[in-house]
Amino acid sequence: MYETSYHRADSVADAASKIGDEGKYLAGGMTLLPTMKQRLAAPDTLVDLTHIGDLKGVSVNGKEVRIGAMTTHAEVNGDAALQSACPSLAKLAGGIGDPAVRHRGTIGGSIANHDPAADYPAAMLALNATIHTDSREISADDFFSGMFETALNEGEIVTAISFTAPDKGAYEKFRNPASRYAMAGVFVADHGGDVRVGVSGAYSNGASRNSEMETALSGNLSADALDGVAVDAGDMLSDIHGSSDYRAHLVKVMAKRAVAAM
Amino acid sequence: MASHLDSNVIPPSRQRETPRAGLTWIGQSMKRVEDPRILSGKGGYIDDVKVPGMAHAAMVSSPHAHARIVSIDTSKAEELPGVIGVYTGEDVATVVDPCPSFASPPVTQHAMAIDKVRHVGEVVAAVVAEDRYIAEDAAALIEVEWDVLPAMVDIEASLEAMGDGVLHPDDRESNKALDESFEFGPVSEDFDAADRIIKRRLRWNRSSAQAIETCGVISQWDAFKGGYTIHANTNFYNFIPFVIGGSLRVSPGEMRIIPVLTGGSFGSKVFIHKIIIMTSALSRLSGVPVKYIEDRLEHFTNSDSHGSDRLYDAELAINDDGTFKSLRFTVLDDYGAYLQFGVGTHGNAMAQVTGPYQIGSFGMRVIAVLTNKTQQGPYRGFGSEVTNWVMERMADAAAEELGRDPLELREQNMIQPDQFPYMIPTGNIYDSGNFQKVLGEAKSLFDLDAWRKKAADMRAEGRCVGIGVATCMERSVYGPTEWWSLNNKETPGFTLTSTPEGISARIDPSGKLFVTLHSPMVGNSPETVVTQILAERLTVAPEDVVINYSDSQSGFNGVGPQGSRFTAMVAGACVSAAIKLEERLKRFGAHMLQRRPEDMELRDGKVAVKGLKDQETSFADIALNSSFFRLSFPDGEEFDSGLETTAVYDHPLSTDPHEDREHLGIFYPIVGHICHIVAVEVDPGTGKVEMLDYAAVHDNGTIVNPRTLAGQVWGGTANGIGTTLSEQFNYDESGQFVNPNFAEFAMPTANEMPRNFKLGHVETPSPYTEYGIKGGGEGGRLGAPSALTSAVEDALQNYGVKISALPITPPVLRGLIREAEQAA
């Protein structure tokens, strides 16, 4: 790691004023810090967002859910109101990484990083979530623009995510045997018969929806409904852990299992 | 009838302590005496060691698999403040010579590459600087110009390579490093006479152990004495000076190698001679002590400890009644860019190549291939894990072709309890065993009959559930001939030592027993087992035994933990030392009690008159008197001051290979037996394997400490599970090592271990070692791959899937299932 200066922000405005040209916002640091240790990133300033009270916590009002960006995976997993309103998301959070990761990593950090194999992005797409920043609101569909790329502008801070809880939802993933990240993570959410399917880990452009599956499932929410759907391997990642054909196959298998679990 | 084995005569046993019931300390699950200081962070690993004035090295490694070094520009690095010196392979070669090689003829390897690199990660330059940060920054400023050569990646293609594809054109015209054929017994006749020949092509891919700690060295050149002081986490510190003295251009005695606690080896730290040589050269060139600790990437790509990488064409000759007659195979082994140990890993496998079965003859052609990959080195099993798997695959294949129950077929061919010592066709013996008993225990521990019914029921529900059984050998206490017996017959190489192990022991005037070991602690339990054995033999309390380690100048014979030898060998040294100490204790004690030595016995840390309760004197009193009050005793050398001794135990049972290699002699005779039974479920949608139940029964002879042995078995099984299901080093077509990190190399964690691992033991003592102890450091990995492979094949019986290559990762299995689905 190269030398860097650290600033603990006490408000969003304070954070934005400190970031400078070569700084980086620090959330849980689950990706940024290892990258810095390997000298692959060398920000001159780290602005720590995790102590800003406004960015933390889960609030549930009927079916309306809002989660502060600096809420940890463990907090999302353990929130009783969320477990009742949207158990699928709480369960997803409980399956991210390991206990240490879940107590440091945050939802805002995860989606802002948009690791293609992270779990939350699939959920944001399927839940039709809104990403709140310090300057605007962005729909999940517009937010995830490519592998490790988002619609965020330079210096823009994710403050929260919000969504209307679906009638039902489920997330199933197949873990990479080495990294344990998702090789195919599929979140299926039923919004009053309108089904959305978000996929992490498999697509080469990052988290994506699968419209063929959505069409097949809307109106017939059963695993069998997916039998006739062909998942196009052409859009999929291919590496030593699995070819694009294997990933395409996994997406379908995970989608069917998610539907079966709903 | 004359046999090729007639000239291989089994020497008589030299056992002094017979196996017996009623031992006090041997057999107890005593807590490890090593643990308190390790668990409290006070162990002292290589990276904890700091030497005054110490500088740090960072390396520049090759990004290419095969390339000529056109030029190296070190000027920018040299200008960086804090840099002490920048050195290339040519600089290093001014003070050291090439690395030792056991290959015949040798394959030249420089500790730091000169002219040419032959694998990704090979070091071409180093920076020595005030700290590692500066060293790494400077290393990044070194510019190397490369002339990239064709990369040899495929085992079979590399054999055909010509011109620039030849790795060592100065030494060899092709990439075939060795090609030797052997016949042990009437192989051709047995094959001609057999009813059937079972044939399989089997592939075992490379991986390696990844200990938590990488390899590391601190070396200090002493310009005045002309030698080196070296801290290193090698397994082999009392032996390595003799291996590397030539390379370092000093006599072995001019090297002082100081051992450190080692954070895991599994074979990977047996020698580490290359980085000792390289770091020593850097110290000599820079004039300061230099520390070099491999980072994880360097450990993956340059630590010369990759495991076996083999392609077998195997044939088993059988009769229709199920009798195994003969085994033969041709094996190509991808050794990578160099050949440090020759084909020692195949020599090792000759110890038990025919498994627990009565097979009359065995033939082999072994072809060692050089490719542009990191070279092979030791990994738990040292090649025998592969032949165990091949033998068990062939047994399963035979059962399938005959329509027989695989377990019953194995039992039919097993060596019987009254046939020991049993000489296998290669000439090695199995000293003792009761394979039927081990199998029986395993069946009962696993509840095999119930599981078979349950698995059938689950399969009837459409689930892919199967059971696999492996009955394998675990050779232990290696003899040195394994290193060279398969070498080119015209130039076999060398005869090594008897692989001895020694200790020194002293009872001080406080009554404590101070013991010095000559082998390091590598995550095994040397202090615990020595404490238990000496407490047993000398009747002292374990808390009165204090263990220390020598360095290579104060120490003597010690070969260290490898080849599942340490406990059995050090037990011999402990017994020898105890015999010598006992004699002196009795002599002094008898004089103090005014008795004859032959009237005395050892009793609870005292010398006592046999049969008399109060006539005794403590070891402490004897030591005090013998150490400080010499004049209280008679004249004569036998009463010289002090109670101390040294003892060395040589290999208990070995014979030389036959000159014409009709047999290989006895070289690995202390054999354990293992039976693993596992039930798995395969998820046909993903190809993922889940272990539902696992039982392992090991026979390692007399057990010194069940707790530490269990740790070895569990750990070895974890290694074996990784080898079978997930671990593989991937090289792409250009020779890039694609996954040298834990995000990409799929090593299993606790999450992947079977939830309910059941461990059982049978104790068939060795007639040749003290107390009947056998080694047990590798067995888990020697058995798990065979059992798991069989279980997966059984689970996929409805698809007709056959497993002929490891690892069986989820995409591999899913691919096999898909092929079967498409064929159906």
Side-chain angles (χ1 to χ4, degrees):
Chain A
M1 189 182 285
Y2 291 100
E3 198 168 292
T4 188
S5 62
Y6 170 87
H7 178 74
R8 177 183 286 185
D10 55 20
S11 69
V12 172
D14 178 37
S17 75
K18 295 293 194 309
I19 193 68
D21 289 337
E22 299 295 325
K24 282 267 187 199
Y25 294 119
L26 177 66
M30 295 296 93
T31 301
L32 179 57
L33 294 184
T35 311
M36 289 173 66
K37 282 183 184 172
Q38 292 186 32
R39 297 182 151 191
L40 297 172
D44 65 355
T45 307
L46 283 180
V47 178
D48 187 351
L49 304 177
T50 60
H51 296 269
I52 301 172
D54 292 348
L55 299 187
K56 294 203 275 194
V58 179
S59 67
V60 177
N61 186 0
K63 295 187 79 170
E64 298 308 311
V65 177
R66 182 184 173 96
I67 303 175
M70 291 301 101
T71 311
T72 65
H73 312 326
E75 288 162 349
V76 171
N77 174 240
D79 189 89
L82 183 69
Q83 284 170 355
S84 167
C86 187
S88 51
L89 186 66
K91 187 175 167 215
L92 174 151
I96 299 172
D98 57 25
V101 167
R102 293 196 285 273
H103 282 83
R104 288 293 307 170
T106 65
I107 189 168
S110 172
I111 63 171
N113 187 49
H114 189 198
D115 188 316
D119 297 307
Y120 273 133
M124 296 299 103
L125 291 169
L127 294 169
N128 197 17
T130 300
I131 317 299
H132 302 259
T133 76
D134 55 345
S135 59
R136 58 183 169 144
E137 294 179 357
I138 310 168
S139 77
D141 286 342
D142 297 332
F143 185 82
F144 300 106
S145 50
M147 187 188 284
F148 294 108
E149 285 177 12
T150 66
L152 290 170
N153 294 320
E154 206 63 37
E156 192 172 3
I157 299 172
V158 175
T159 55
I161 65 99
S162 68
F163 60 90
T164 304
D167 301 335
K168 283 191 285 187
Y171 179 66
E172 290 288 333
K173 67 173 164 180
F174 187 77
R175 290 175 189 270
N176 177 312
S179 70
R180 277 77 175 174
Y181 273 94
M183 281 178 69
V186 181
F187 201 114
V188 181
D190 176 14
H191 305 266
D194 179 15
V195 175
R196 290 173 66 100
V197 177
V199 180
S200 278
Y203 284 103
S204 52
N205 61 344
S208 304
R209 288 169 64 191
N210 185 302
S211 53
E212 292 84 356
M213 287 188 178
E214 292 181 350
T215 307
L217 291 170
S218 295
N220 179 15
L221 188 58
S222 71
D224 295 344
L226 294 173
D227 282 343
V229 176
V231 178
D232 185 0
D235 302 334
M236 298 282 168
L237 292 164
S238 186
D239 58 29
I240 57 168
H241 303 292
S243 63
S244 50
D245 284 338
Y246 180 61
R247 278 189 166 81
H249 171 79
L250 283 180
V251 166
K252 188 160 160 180
V253 171
M254 292 301 122
K256 291 180 77 162
R257 290 180 187 178
V259 172
M262 284 170 76
Chain B
M1 197 169 64
S3 154
H4 70 293
L5 297 170
D6 288 345
S7 62
N8 192 32
V9 178
I10 304 175
S13 173
R14 292 188 273 120
Q15 185 181 61
R16 292 159 296 178
E17 293 294 336
T18 53
R20 55 192 186 266
L23 297 174
T24 306
W25 297 110
I26 290 174
Q28 297 293 324
S29 279
M30 202 174 91
K31 284 191 178 173
R32 284 171 23 121
V33 299
E34 297 89 348
D35 277 347
R37 70 178 194 280
I38 294 172
L39 298 179
S40 58
K42 308 292 186 195
Y45 293 91
I46 185 68
D47 207 22
D48 296 324
V49 178
K50 293 180 177 66
V51 171
M54 180 176 85
H56 298 261
M59 305 300 164
V60 177
S61 303
S62 172
H64 300 294
H66 198 190
R68 283 194 192 91
I69 304 166
V70 178
S71 65
I72 303 177
D73 182 352
T74 59
S75 55
K76 288 181 192 156
E78 282 162 6
E79 286 163 19
L80 196 72
V83 170
I84 295 166
V86 183
Y87 309 98
T88 65
E90 287 182 4
D91 298 326
V92 166
T94 62
V95 292
V96 299
D97 289 320
C99 296
S101 172
F102 286 39
S104 174
V107 173
T108 306
Q109 182 185 21
H110 298 283
M112 191 180 292
I114 300 171
D115 297 335
K116 198 170 150 174
V117 290
R118 296 178 177 84
H119 65 85
V120 167
E122 189 164 11
V123 171
V124 298
V127 176
V128 175
E130 287 169 10
D131 66 37
R132 179 79 178 246
Y133 288 94
I134 295 169
E136 301 242 348
D137 285 346
L141 295 172
I142 292 173
E143 290 165 8
V144 185
E145 193 185 333
W146 306 97
D147 173 17
V148 177
L149 299 169
M152 294 297 114
V153 182
D154 180 75
I155 222 176
E156 291 171 290
S158 189
L159 274 179
E160 308 300 324
M162 312 272 282
D164 282 348
V166 177
L167 270 73
H168 297 272
D170 295 342
D171 294 341
R172 284 168 169 78
E173 289 174 356
S174 79
N175 291 326
K176 190 191 279 186
L178 180 138
D179 182 351
E180 288 288 309
S181 296
F182 301 87
E183 286 212 349
F184 303 106
V187 179
S188 306
E189 292 89 326
D190 286 347
F191 267 83
D192 289 344
D195 294 337
R196 291 165 184 252
I197 298 171
I198 312 291
K199 297 185 182 186
R200 288 289 185 275
R201 175 165 258 227
L202 298 166
R203 184 76 171 92
W204 179 283
N205 282 294
R206 72 168 53 204
S207 64
S208 83
Q210 288 294 325
I212 288 176
E213 182 194 47
T214 60
C215 303
V217 177
I218 302 165
S219 185
Q220 179 169 15
W221 165 249
D222 184 330
F224 302 101
K225 285 187 186 166
Y228 292 95
T229 300
I230 297 165
H231 294 77
N233 55 8
T234 168
N235 286 18
F236 219 179
Y237 70 88
N238 264 311
F239 189 87
I240 204 82
F242 297 88
V243 178
I244 63 175
S247 303
L248 287 175
R249 302 178 187 166
V250 295
S251 78
E254 290 172 325
M255 269 174 275
R256 181 174 170 230
I257 301 193
I258 304 167
V260 287
L261 184 64
T262 295
S265 171
F266 316 107
S268 67
K269 296 196 182 89
V270 162
F271 274 50
I272 70 165
H273 54 279
K274 184 173 77 182
I275 64 166
I276 296 176
I277 295 167
M278 186 164 67
T279 311
S280 296
L282 296 176
S283 174
R284 187 162 181 174
L285 291 166
S286 65
V288 294
V290 175
K291 178 183 235 178
Y292 170 59
I293 310 279
E294 292 171 340
D295 65 22
R296 183 59 61 180
L297 181 62
E298 291 165 336
H299 190 61
F300 269 108
T301 60
N302 195 41
S303 73
D304 293 344
S305 59
H306 286 198
S308 295
D309 191 349
R310 300 181 182 173
L311 175 64
Y312 282 87
D313 283 300
E315 297 179 305
L316 181 67
I318 62 173
N319 280 349
D320 287 337
D321 69 358
T323 308
F324 296 173
K325 302 291 289 178
S326 183
L327 174 72
R328 70 182 173 199
F329 52 67
T330 294
V331 54
L332 272 62
D333 202 337
D334 177 347
Y335 270 94
Y338 301 98
L339 196 62
Q340 57 181 337
F341 299 134
V343 292
T345 46
H346 289 275
N348 185 297
M350 294 304 101
Q352 54 179 44
V353 68
T354 43
Y357 312 114
Q358 302 182 47
I359 296 178
S361 60
F362 164 72
M364 166 176 72
R365 179 180 177 198
V366 56
I367 304 169
V369 186
L370 297 166
T371 64
N372 292 114
K373 300 174 190 171
T374 304
Q375 75 171 324
Q376 287 187 21
Y379 179 18
R380 207 173 201 165
F382 205 66
S384 283
E385 75 284 17
V386 194
T387 45
N388 274 6
W389 180 75
V390 168
M391 183 69 249
E392 291 298 277
R393 285 281 74 207
M394 297 308 286
D396 281 345
E400 183 208 335
E401 293 198 18
L402 292 171
R404 293 276 302 274
D405 178 308
L407 198 49
E408 190 198 283
L409 184 65
R410 282 172 166 81
E411 286 186 271
Q412 177 188 335
N413 285 285
M414 268 183 181
I415 297 160
Q416 296 297 316
D418 61 4
Q419 290 181 284
F420 296 98
Y422 184 91
M423 195 173 288
I424 68 169
T426 60
N428 193 44
I429 67 157
Y430 297 167
D431 67 331
S432 61
N434 189 333
F435 308 157
Q436 292 75 9
K437 190 173 175 191
V438 172
L439 179 59
E441 290 280 326
K443 280 184 190 170
S444 126
L445 191 63
F446 188 79
D447 204 352
L448 182 64
D449 293 338
W451 247 118
R452 280 189 157 170
K453 185 179 178 308
K454 195 162 139 188
D457 291 347
M458 290 164 104
R459 278 196 298 272
E461 292 166 18
R463 295 171 66 178
C464 297
V465 174
I467 295 167
V469 184
T471 56
C472 295
M473 303 310 297
E474 178 178 16
R475 82 286 172 278
S476 74
V477 191
Y478 85 76
T481 55
E482 68 162 351
W483 297 100
W484 55 267
S485 63
L486 302 184
N487 275 0
N488 184 323
K489 275 169 263 182
E490 285 70 47
T491 53
F494 47 88
T495 39
L496 252 179
T497 73
S498 71
T499 56
E501 193 64 42
I503 66 164
S504 41
R506 175 171 63 94
I507 300 174
D508 87 332
S510 73
K512 296 268 188 198
L513 176 60
F514 285 85
V515 180
T516 301
L517 305 183
H518 304 289
S519 290
M521 194 280 193
V522 300
N524 57 334
S525 310
E527 300 173 33
T528 305
V529 297
V530 167
T531 298
Q532 288 183 256
I533 294 163
L534 284 172
E536 185 73 50
R537 182 60 183 75
L538 287 172
T539 74
V540 298
E543 53 269 30
D544 287 336
V545 182
V546 182
I547 310 272
N548 286 296
Y549 296 88
S550 67
D551 62 42
S552 67
Q553 285 179 339
S554 65
F556 51 96
N557 289 339
V559 170
Q562 49 187 297
S564 296
R565 66 178 292 282
F566 184 76
T567 302
M569 290 298 293
V570 84
C574 288
V575 169
S576 299
I579 289 170
K580 294 183 190 180
L581 281 176
E582 179 178 16
E583 191 192 352
R584 286 182 70 74
L585 282 162
K586 284 181 175 172
R587 185 183 307 142
F588 283 92
H591 183 80
M592 289 165 69
L593 293 169
Q594 304 203 324
R595 293 275 182 169
R596 293 179 308 170
E598 52 270 34
D599 297 334
M600 313 305 286
E601 65 179 0
L602 303 188
R603 204 158 70 197
D604 299 332
K606 300 183 183 76
V607 171
V609 179
K610 286 177 192 163
L612 291 181
K613 216 176 175 186
D614 302 329
Q615 293 281 308
E616 59 189 25
T617 180
S618 70
F619 290 1
D621 275 347
I622 297 170
L624 181 75
N625 280 284
S626 73
S627 298
F628 294 148
F629 305 114
R630 169 69 181 85
L631 301 180
S632 308
F633 297 96
D635 287 343
E637 283 177 8
E638 67 273 25
F639 284 102
D640 281 355
S641 289
L643 280 178
E644 61 187 314
T645 192
T646 60
V648 176
Y649 184 71
D650 291 300
H651 193 280
L653 185 71
S654 57
T655 63
D656 275 342
H658 189 279
E659 210 169 83
D660 297 326
R661 299 299 181 272
E662 287 177 13
H663 63 74
L664 302 174
I666 300 168
F667 61 100
Y668 231 135
I670 313 301
V671 300
H673 184 68
I674 50 193
C675 180
H676 283 214
I677 310 184
V678 56
V680 304
E681 176 159 19
V682 180
D683 178 343
T686 64
K688 190 175 176 184
V689 175
E690 187 190 352
M691 281 167 276
L692 304 176
D693 207 352
Y694 203 118
V697 175
H698 286 220
D699 182 350
N700 299 106
T702 300
I703 299 173
V704 178
N705 186 318
R707 183 197 302 262
T708 62
L709 179 61
Q712 293 278 16
V713 176
W714 288 334
T717 301
N719 276 150
I721 289 169
T723 301
T724 311
L725 298 181
S726 62
E727 293 176 352
Q728 181 176 357
F729 288 162
N730 297 92
Y731 283 82
D732 70 13
E733 287 174 358
S734 66
Q736 285 300 319
F737 188 171
V738 181
N739 57 342
N741 59 69
F742 291 131
E744 300 289 337
F745 176 63
M747 199 161 74
T749 68
N751 289 315
E752 281 77 42
M753 289 302 107
R755 292 287 185 273
N756 46 350
F757 186 82
K758 303 183 189 84
L759 177 60
H761 289 290
V762 166
E763 294 188 63
T764 310
S766 172
Y768 297 98
T769 62
E770 302 306 334
Y771 298 103
I773 298 165
K774 298 178 179 179
E778 298 167 274
R781 189 163 184 265
L782 288 166
S786 301
L788 259 174
T789 306
S790 293
V792 169
E793 200 170 88
D794 189 45
L796 294 174
Q797 59 182 259
N798 291 344
Y799 292 94
V801 162
K802 298 293 166 222
I803 312 292
S804 56
L806 296 187
I808 33 177
T809 62
V812 165
L813 271 187
R814 175 58 214 160
L816 291 171
I817 292 165
R818 181 156 82 167
E819 278 171 28
E821 284 170 343
Q822 285 168 349

